[in-house]
Amino acid sequence: MAPKIPLERTVYAGTFIHCLSLENLEILEHAAVGVDEKGMISFVEKDVQVGGLSELVEKRYGWEGYAVVKGASGEETAFFFPGFVDTHIHAPQFPNAGIFGKTTLLSWLHTYTFPLEASLAALPTATRIYTRVVAATLSHGTTTAAYYATTHVPATNQLATLCHAAGQRAFVGRCNMDSALHPAYYKDASPADALRDTRATVDFIRALDAGARLVQPIVTPRFAPSCSPALLHGLGALARDLRLPVQTHIAENAAEVALVAAQFPAQASYAQVYDAHGLLGPRTVLAHACHLSGEEVALLKRRGASVSHCPVSNSYLGSGLCPVRELLREGVAVGLGTDVSGGWSCSVLAAAREAGGVSRLRTAAEGRARYGAEKGEAERERERMKLGVEECLYLATRGGAACLGLEGTVGAFEVGMEWDAQVVDLGEVVGEEGAGGGRGGVALWGAEGWEERLAKWVHCGDERNTRRVWVRGRLVAGGAE
């Protein structure tokens, strides 16, 4: 059954923080946000006077019989923040999070990933894993996730069912792969079989959530080397005919790029492979993009395709450093992906933290190689590679929403958007004797303003700071207080 949003208007009161743009945060203290019985934001009021909330709501908006939810109790160190958007996560790989061995991408797939994914042919195994991953991502404040499943239809349908029941906004894709790259025990038998099974999952998900209010199907070729040209063509046609989004990988690893060039000699680049098969468009999300040429970036921009930046897995699998600043400068939308289990955590906050770190590493490595060590404009150009806290939080919210076609729907607190939100609690200030205070890994000492508190949350916080989570106005994680 579909989760029902309570038929009660709710006013959320406290401090609200969200991104207005890539470089601009808005911090609203003593504010109120009204959410209607459909989970839509009806009003945003700033500087609400103490004791004046009920008069404001009832006289200005004519609301009666509404609930009030406050973001903070005691110390004013809690705030409302938009729910995170994870643009790339492999749900069946969740049990392998943190396991990398000493391998790189292609050998890691054969050593760890394919055997685990194949085990989800057993529906009880799939249910066990998927139940945990949906609960875990919600607990980390992820209100929207773009999930890769496996080749198995029953297991993929189960993932969609669990997301829908839990109230998580999700894009769920059955993985397609029929090439010789894959072991015989885990691959599609033919393009026709893969397309038939993919259509079956699409039909199931559309019946499950007929209005696409929460869960949507997404066409998912694993990556170009996984698929025959016939399968890629078929998936492109399916996406076009059924008006479906697409998710896949691109230019994650240098060896992978070379493999694509050998496997698809008729196309001049990795991006052109997808374009030639009808898979590159305004609803395409491409994970990684560490090794794109300038021509490929220009092609992505022309087609309106977006990039899921996965800094944790790129670092731990040694794949490469995504040129996020250059992509943004060229007008390519960028969001964040946890890329479990290449990434060791399903936390988008951890991905935001790592995105900042990777950008600084690029400044030290690629920046010096590209611009030299000179002062002046060269030094300024190197520094521009860095991503600030506000930019990383933008990628985690509005950036990800844009990648998935949800801009204007989620990612911020604006009238007409849906209430996908989390309460973040940083805890009390450390006591006079150095005892107590803080929550999780965050410690506040009393002198920090909101920008410093945000920086501490991004760099030191975790799911212990995420107290409650809502999707479309429904409480989906954390208890009522």
Side-chain angles (χ1 to χ4, degrees), residues 15-19 25-28 78-82 393 412-413 450-451 453-454:
T15 298
F16 298 78
I17 303 176
H18 66 157
C19 297
L25 280 167
E26 183 174 43
I27 300 171
L28 304 175
F79 58 96
F80 292 98
F81 193 78
L393 290 174
F413 300 130
W450 276 113
E451 290 188 2
R453 294 175 191 176
L454 277 177

Side-chain angles (χ1 to χ4, degrees), residues 74-144:
E75 296 282 346
E76 293 290 333
T77 60
F79 58 96
F80 292 98
F81 193 78
F84 289 134
V85 179
D86 189 343
T87 56
H88 186 76
I89 175 170
H90 293 267
Q93 296 178 25
F94 192 66
N96 276 355
I99 300 174
F100 309 99
K102 297 181 180 179
T103 61
T104 55
L105 174 65
L106 297 178
S107 59
W108 172 79
L109 288 171
H110 285 274
T111 304
Y112 298 105
T113 303
F114 296 154
L116 174 60
E117 290 192 9
S119 73
L120 274 75
L123 192 57
T125 300
T127 300
R128 179 186 182 215
I129 293 171
Y130 289 157
T131 298
R132 186 60 175 265
V133 73
V134 172
T137 53
L138 284 171
S139 74
H140 282 273
T142 299
T143 52
T144 301

Side-chain angles (χ1 to χ4, degrees), residues 177-193:
M177 43 198 202
D178 70 335
S179 77
L181 176 69
H182 295 276
Y185 67 83
Y186 185 51
K187 62 185 292 190
D188 290 309
S190 70
D193 286 347

Side-chain angles (χ1 to χ4, degrees), residues 139 214 283 355 361 433:
S139 74
L214 284 178
R283 302 190 70 192
L361 180 60
E433 302 298 323

Side-chain angles (χ1 to χ4, degrees), residues 39-60:
M40 305 283 290
I41 297 176
S42 294
F43 63 81
V44 177
E45 287 288 342
K46 306 175 183 179
D47 300 317
V48 178
Q49 298 299 313
V50 175
L53 181 62
S54 59
E55 182 178 3
L56 170 73
V57 173
E58 293 163 16
K59 289 189 175 180
R60 182 171 297 181

Side-chain angles (χ1 to χ4, degrees), residues 148-173:
Y148 286 58
T150 63
T151 61
H152 314 105
V153 173
T156 301
N157 292 347
Q158 181 72 332
L159 174 58
T161 299
L162 291 167
C163 290
H164 195 249
Q168 186 175 50
R169 198 183 299 272
F171 294 78
V172 176

Side-chain angles (χ1 to χ4, degrees), residues 4 39 61 78 162 166 212 235 258 270 293 297 312 340 351 371 379 400 427 442 464:
K4 294 182 179 179
Y61 297 101
L162 291 167
L235 293 172
Y270 204 150
S293 67
V297 173
V312 178
V340 169
Y371 302 109
E379 182 179 38
V442 177
R464 291 171 291 180

